[in-house]
Amino acid sequence: MTEKIGVLGKKSPQRTGVERVVNAPLPTVYGKFQAIGYMDHDRGDEQVALVYGEIGTDDVLIRLHSECLTGDAFGSQHCECGDQLDAALRAVVTEGAGVVVYLRGHEGRGIGLLAKLRAMALQAEGLDTVEANLALGLPVDARDYGVAARILEDLGVKSVRLMSNNPRKRDALVSHGIQVAEQVPLLIPPCENNITYLRTKRERLDHHLPHLDAVVSSS
């Protein structure tokens, strides 16, 4: 553990791990959530879990949503992220209880906003999303889900029903001690602007996207 020097010259231990900081009511267009804020002292990221209803401990419906400014805020059709966030929030409200962990620091599968935009520019020139990251000398997927597991543990969650098409999320949670009772598909109808991106996610990143079959066969 590293140390820092205080204002009086005394050494004090630097905080590590994930700390719950605040719990605030958050009324939304979907329903009234509790926004529970966390500080990831290891990475310096501020994180938030949106909790709806009495979630209990077992088989909790959850979504681990990677931050995507372009999709979540700007309505980008390059990806399906914004629609997935919308669908996940609606799903937990329909369920009556659940958690959406919004993971900051995951922009562009962990490469950051500007690097993601550079990768998108390369994709506009014909590279796929995997080739674009590699052309920039960046990892294909640099995300870590350890902080998500620690947040779920703090919420008392032991096992989950994970809303995701990505088997790597399931494997990551299991590796961090969270049981995955079920992986719930979160399938968004493709559009002209994201069909190539989605095909690449299925073919090169192992995402489970069976709804693309009809589009592929008719193209």
Side-chain angles (χ1 to χ4, degrees), residues 3 22 63 91 126 132 140 159:
E3 294 183 331
V22 63
R63 165 75 178 166
V140 173
S159 67

Side-chain angles (χ1 to χ4, degrees), residues 22-96:
V22 63
N23 184 350
L26 183 68
T28 74
V29 295
Y30 309 98
K32 187 174 182 179
F33 289 79
Q34 288 297 122
I36 304 178
Y38 293 86
M39 186 67 200
D40 180 357
H41 292 290
D42 296 327
R43 294 176 176 266
D45 294 320
E46 298 174 332
Q47 306 288 5
V48 64
L50 299 181
V51 179
Y52 186 83
E54 298 295 329
I55 59 174
T57 61
D58 297 315
D59 299 349
V60 181
L61 185 65
I62 73 157
R63 165 75 178 166
L64 306 183
H65 190 84
S66 295
E67 176 183 26
C68 177
L69 179 67
T70 50
D72 300 339
F74 302 151
S76 169
Q77 291 188 329
H78 182 270
C79 62
E80 79 277 42
C81 299
D83 288 333
Q84 284 189 317
L85 179 59
D86 176 82
L89 290 167
R90 293 185 186 280
V92 297
V93 172
T94 299
E95 179 83 1

Side-chain angles (χ1 to χ4, degrees), residues 132-144:
N133 280 33
L134 295 176
L136 293 170
L138 298 170
V140 173
D141 193 337
R143 290 174 292 181
D144 180 86

Side-chain angles (χ1 to χ4, degrees), residues 55-195:
I55 59 174
T57 61
D58 297 315
D59 299 349
V60 181
L61 185 65
I62 73 157
R63 165 75 178 166
L64 306 183
H65 190 84
S66 295
E67 176 183 26
C68 177
L69 179 67
T70 50
D72 300 339
F74 302 151
S76 169
Q77 291 188 329
H78 182 270
C79 62
E80 79 277 42
C81 299
D83 288 333
Q84 284 189 317
L85 179 59
D86 176 82
L89 290 167
R90 293 185 186 280
V92 297
V93 172
T94 299
E95 179 83 1
V99 182
V100 175
V101 181
Y102 193 87
L103 293 165
R104 304 188 66 201
H106 278 205
E107 188 78 55
R109 298 196 301 275
I111 64 175
L113 177 60
L114 296 183
K116 182 178 83 168
L117 293 176
R118 293 188 181 102
M120 288 170 62
L122 291 177
Q123 289 171 66
E125 296 175 2
L127 298 186
D128 68 31
T129 183
V130 171
E131 294 166 342
N133 280 33
L134 295 176
L136 293 170
L138 298 170
V140 173
D141 193 337
R143 290 174 292 181
D144 180 86
Y145 296 97
V147 64
R150 301 293 79 79
I151 288 172
L152 292 173
E153 287 178 350
D154 178 74
L155 294 173
V157 175
K158 296 179 180 178
S159 67
V160 302
R161 294 161 52 223
L162 175 64
M163 288 186 282
S164 178
N165 309 316
N166 184 357
R168 298 182 187 183
K169 283 188 180 180
R170 179 190 187 115
D171 295 342
L173 277 184
V174 171
S175 71
H176 287 290
I178 302 295
Q179 299 178 32
V180 179
E182 181 185 2
Q183 188 160 340
V184 180
L186 198 60
L187 304 176
I188 306 299
C191 67
E192 180 181 356
N193 292 315
N194 66 22
I195 185 62

